[in-house]
């Protein structure tokens, strides 16, 4: 990461609210509520960079044509480190900027669940990259989920992993050691699996180590895994500092089991600097919208803008969320919240930057606000970098079963 970029991120962390995109002349304001401080700050900072690239593209291309070329202005608020702080930040933003037309966020599902109680009350159309199934199962009319939900990801993750294991070793893992935080996405992910999903796949759970983040000491968890009969470790960890503690503890106690995961956090650029390369090698994780071959152009823009070596999921989520809102406002021909909400419900994009940013290659929502025909993605750490390995048409490398 370039020094100037680091300094910029540090400065951002001190701000409560700020804007980017066009800020002079007539603009259409959209909100972005993301954690810029606390355990999930890395994720929020990446989402902000993705949204900034999208806003620059939109404004350079003439803004919103149906509104006479009005430019996009993204007003960003720090969600902090808890659902309560996310909800408070969202309420302040709505109060301070009554002309907000739409918004996106808040990265962590627990934060999104809290923030969207405020956006729904305000009738503010909201797109989110958060996974929790419960986000769109509350009967809300203004919330749209642009990634597969936790239930969908859970249902596809383990068949994908067992298929890779079978192809590589001739065997499938059957005894699982789960290490997970208790955030909303994690709970929604594991509920259907623990309620019979694992049994149908012939998998038993040898260890189920759940904790409330932040994790202060991963040693007890590592010792549980070491004394178990598990043949596979599976992580669901949303905070980067917790990832570091868990992987270091597994290494410290010389646990040689293959490690797999469901968490975009495992693919953050900060992971490479915080954890030894050999501890990451072969680690496979599924994700909602991990960038693949179809997103090559925006990935290159992100690398140029930030100095990072790859584009992680939160950055693509910020990018796609901004473009989806732009297309909704364009179709609405209005900055009115209710008209934009209607445009999101009717959206059926099959081309353009908004559609191309998603693995589905299309943007269409069902009646609950979930993305229609969701496609999950997966990446694997190989030689110090995460490479897309799933779906096959987006793959940058062939999957290898992790060995340690």
């Amino acid at each position: 990461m370039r020094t100037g970029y680091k300094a910029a991120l540090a400065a951002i962390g001190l701000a409560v609210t700020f804007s980017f995109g066009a800020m002079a002349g007539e603009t259409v304001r959209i909100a972005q509520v993301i954690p810029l401080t606390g355990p999930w700050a890395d994720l929020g900072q990446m989402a902000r960079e993705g949204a900034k690239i999208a806003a620059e593209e939109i404004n350079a291309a003439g803004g919103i044509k149906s509104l006479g070329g009005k430019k996009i202005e993204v007003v960003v608020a720090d969600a902090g480190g808890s659902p309560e702080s996310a909800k408070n930040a969202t309420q302040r933003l709505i109060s301070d900027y009554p002309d907000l037309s739409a918004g996106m966020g808040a990265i962590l599902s627990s934060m999104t669940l809290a923030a969207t109680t405020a956006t729904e009350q305000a009738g503010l159309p909201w797109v989110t990259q958060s996974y929790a199934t419960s986000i769109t199962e509350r009967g809300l009319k203004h919330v749209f989920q642009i990634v597969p939900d936790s239930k969908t990801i859970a249902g596809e993750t383990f068949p994908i992993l067992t298929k890779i294991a079978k192809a590589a070793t001739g065997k499938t893992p059957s005894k699982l050691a789960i290490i997970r935080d208790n955030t909303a996405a994690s709970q929604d992910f594991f509920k259907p699996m623990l309620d019979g999903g694992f049994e149908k796949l012939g998998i038993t759970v040898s260890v189920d180590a759940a904790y409330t983040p932040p994790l202060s000491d991963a040693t007890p968890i590592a010792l549980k895994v070491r004394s178990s009969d598990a043949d596979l470790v599976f992580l669901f960890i949303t905070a980067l500092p917790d990832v570091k503690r868990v992987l270091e503890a597994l290494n410290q106690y010389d646990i040689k089991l293959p490690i797999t995961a469901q968490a975009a956090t495992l693919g953050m650029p900060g992971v490479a600097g915080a954890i030894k390369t050999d501890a990451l090698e072969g680690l496979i994780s599924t994700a909602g919208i991990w960038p693949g071959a179809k997103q090559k152009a925006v990935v290159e823009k992100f690398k140029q803008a930030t100095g990072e070596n790859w584009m992680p999921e939160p950055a693509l989520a910020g990018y796609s969320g901004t473009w989806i809102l732009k297309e909704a406002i364009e179709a609405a021909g209005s900055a009115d919240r209710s008209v934009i909400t209607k445009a999101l419900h009717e959206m059926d994009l099959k081309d353009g930057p908004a559609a191309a940013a998603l693995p589905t290659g299309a943007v269409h929502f069902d009646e609950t606000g979930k993305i229609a025909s969701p496609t999950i993605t997966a990446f694997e750490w190989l030689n110090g970098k995460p490479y897309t390995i799933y779906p096959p048409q987006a793959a940058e490398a062939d999957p290898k079963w992790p060995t340690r």
Side-chain angles (χ1 to χ4, degrees):
M1 184 185 292
R2 293 190 302 225
T3 304
Y5 180 55
K6 277 185 174 179
L9 294 185
I12 291 163
L14 298 175
V16 175
T17 303
F18 58 93
S19 301
F20 58 80
M23 287 171 278
E26 288 192 275
T27 66
V28 177
R29 281 178 167 160
I30 62 174
Q32 187 182 36
V33 178
I34 45 178
L36 294 170
T37 55
W40 295 278
D42 290 72
L43 304 177
Q45 289 160 0
M46 292 293 113
R48 174 194 172 275
E49 290 305 309
K52 185 178 179 184
I53 292 170
E56 289 172 350
E57 288 180 349
I58 292 164
N59 292 338
I64 300 168
K65 296 175 179 61
S66 66
L67 292 180
K70 284 187 178 180
K71 302 297 191 289
I72 285 280
E73 178 184 350
V74 183
V75 185
V76 183
D78 180 9
S82 70
E84 291 75 21
S85 61
K87 183 178 180 180
N88 291 339
T90 306
Q91 289 173 326
R92 282 198 304 273
L93 200 63
I94 292 170
S95 175
D96 292 345
Y97 294 86
D99 59 343
L100 283 173
S101 293
M104 57 186 155
I107 301 292
L108 198 71
S109 290
S110 302
M111 293 183 180
T112 300
L113 285 164
T116 48
T117 60
T119 61
E120 188 72 8
Q121 188 173 19
L124 188 67
W126 198 261
V127 300
T128 183
Q129 79 306 317
S130 298
Y131 295 161
T133 303
S134 47
I135 290 172
T136 45
E137 291 191 345
R138 295 171 293 167
L140 305 186
K141 305 298 184 187
H142 303 85
V143 178
F144 300 85
Q145 198 168 29
I146 65 174
V147 295
D149 69 350
S150 294
K151 185 177 179 181
T152 300
I153 297 174
E156 294 191 32
T157 290
F158 293 97
I160 290 171
L161 293 177
T162 53
K163 184 178 179 181
I164 296 172
K166 179 75 173 179
T169 68
K171 300 184 295 184
T172 57
S174 60
K175 296 175 181 176
L176 199 59
I178 301 170
I179 303 173
R180 58 179 172 128
D181 62 32
N182 62 359
T183 54
S186 172
Q187 293 184 45
D188 281 5
F189 179 91
F190 284 105
K191 186 175 188 308
M193 301 309 299
L194 294 171
D195 286 347
F198 285 131
E199 185 177 357
K200 287 180 182 176
L201 294 171
I203 296 173
T204 58
V205 177
S206 297
V207 174
D208 183 6
Y211 67 91
T212 299
L215 180 65
S216 59
D217 183 4
T219 299
I221 293 175
L223 292 175
K224 275 186 182 178
V225 175
R226 189 174 70 169
S227 62
S228 76
D229 61 352
D231 55 14
L232 177 66
V233 174
F234 188 84
L235 311 178
F236 197 120
I237 304 175
T238 58
L240 183 55
D242 293 354
V243 169
K244 183 173 184 292
R245 291 187 182 96
V246 167
L247 291 182
E248 285 180 344
L250 294 177
N251 267 352
Q252 179 183 351
Y253 289 96
D254 201 28
I255 295 167
K256 300 294 187 183
L257 298 175
I259 299 177
T260 55
Q262 200 296 296
T265 311
L266 271 296
M268 291 292 290
V271 171
I275 299 164
K276 292 180 180 177
T277 300
D278 58 353
L280 291 168
E281 185 67 15
L283 189 153
I284 295 174
S285 177
T286 55
I289 55 169
W290 190 261
K294 286 172 57 179
Q295 291 81 36
K296 187 175 180 180
V298 67
V299 169
E300 289 304 316
K301 280 189 179 181
F302 177 83
K303 290 162 65 177
Q304 286 290 321
T306 64
E308 300 289 1
N309 292 323
W310 64 87
M311 185 180 197
E313 180 182 90
L316 184 61
Y319 178 85
S320 58
T322 305
W323 265 107
I324 289 169
L325 290 179
K326 182 269 179 186
E327 296 296 353
I329 298 167
E330 190 79 79
S334 168
D336 182 85
R337 297 174 182 178
S338 62
V339 185
I340 296 168
T341 296
K342 183 173 183 291
L344 282 163
H345 279 293
E346 295 174 349
M347 183 168 279
D348 190 15
L349 295 176
K350 294 182 174 63
D351 53 30
L358 300 183
T360 54
V363 186
H364 176 65
F365 300 99
D366 69 14
E367 65 280 3
T368 70
K370 292 184 192 297
I371 192 77
S373 305
T375 300
I376 80 163
T377 55
F379 61 84
E380 181 169 10
W381 280 89
L382 298 167
N383 300 315
K385 181 182 172 184
Y387 287 87
T388 307
I389 59 168
Y390 188 88
Q393 63 270 26
E396 301 169 311
D398 294 328
K400 299 175 183 176
W401 189 240
T403 56
R404 291 163 53 82

